[in-house]
Amino acid sequence: MPDIHIHREHHLGFKEARKVAFAWAEQAEAKFDMECTYEEGKTEDLLTFSRTGVKGTLLVDGHQFEMRAQLGFLFGAFKDRIEAEIGEQLDALLNAPHPGAKAHAADKKKSPEAAAKPAAKPAAKHAAKAATAKPAAKAKKP
């Protein structure tokens, strides 16, 4: 049986790496009809995946992802393509912005001058509209 071995180091920490592994499992289930089982540990997690013709594991810890898979006879012909696609998926997930990263990146993009300015006041036409707005309901006189 042809084997696939993919190793990726990361600097995410264990908590974020676990999120990436969950995301990969969801993609594998949806895109490749894989059956995934995730076992959480204190220092490492083990994701087991399988479907007809493919079975393997993804070991996740605070520093690396280690994937090993065995391909059946029919999938063996596509080993290089499958290995490349899985590697690209992991790379995309590892390089994706993580929660809080967007806000941090947006803060970095702002110039010091823009950050120091107070928020702009509403435009005059918007203030005029607010002043002429009708009340939602009028009280009836007895």
Side-chain angles (χ1 to χ4, degrees), residues 33-95:
D33 199 28
M34 291 280 183
E35 191 173 305
C36 297
T37 305
Y38 200 93
E39 297 175 43
E40 293 183 355
K42 289 184 180 183
T43 59
E44 65 182 26
D45 292 352
L46 181 66
L47 169 64
T48 305
F49 56 92
S50 64
R51 66 163 279 167
T52 303
V54 179
K55 65 179 179 179
T57 59
L58 176 64
L59 185 66
V60 181
D61 67 25
H63 306 287
Q64 66 182 350
F65 287 87
E66 189 81 29
M67 179 179 286
R68 295 188 185 276
Q70 294 177 330
L71 303 177
F73 178 73
L74 294 176
F75 285 107
F78 303 102
K79 176 191 180 286
D80 293 337
R81 184 174 173 191
I82 293 169
E83 190 168 20
E85 187 167 336
I86 291 171
E88 288 172 9
Q89 288 175 341
L90 274 176
D91 290 340
L93 288 168
L94 287 169
N95 293 322

Side-chain angles (χ1 to χ4, degrees), residues 6 8-13 15-32 36 38 47 58 60 65 67 84-99 101:
I6 299 173
R8 296 291 189 271
E9 295 201 12
H10 65 81
H11 302 285
L12 300 174
K15 187 176 178 181
E16 289 298 314
R18 180 178 276 168
K19 290 178 187 178
V20 170
F22 274 125
W24 185 86
E26 288 174 350
Q27 285 181 0
E29 288 176 333
K31 189 172 182 178
F32 302 114
C36 297
Y38 200 93
L47 169 64
L58 176 64
V60 181
F65 287 87
M67 179 179 286
E85 187 167 336
I86 291 171
E88 288 172 9
Q89 288 175 341
L90 274 176
D91 290 340
L93 288 168
L94 287 169
N95 293 322
H98 301 286

Side-chain angles (χ1 to χ4, degrees), residues 96-131:
H98 301 286
K102 286 183 181 179
H104 185 66
D107 289 343
K108 282 187 171 183
K109 286 183 181 180
K110 287 183 181 178
S111 67
E113 296 84 23
K117 285 184 180 179
K121 293 182 181 178
K125 68 180 181 180
H126 295 297
K129 270 188 181 177

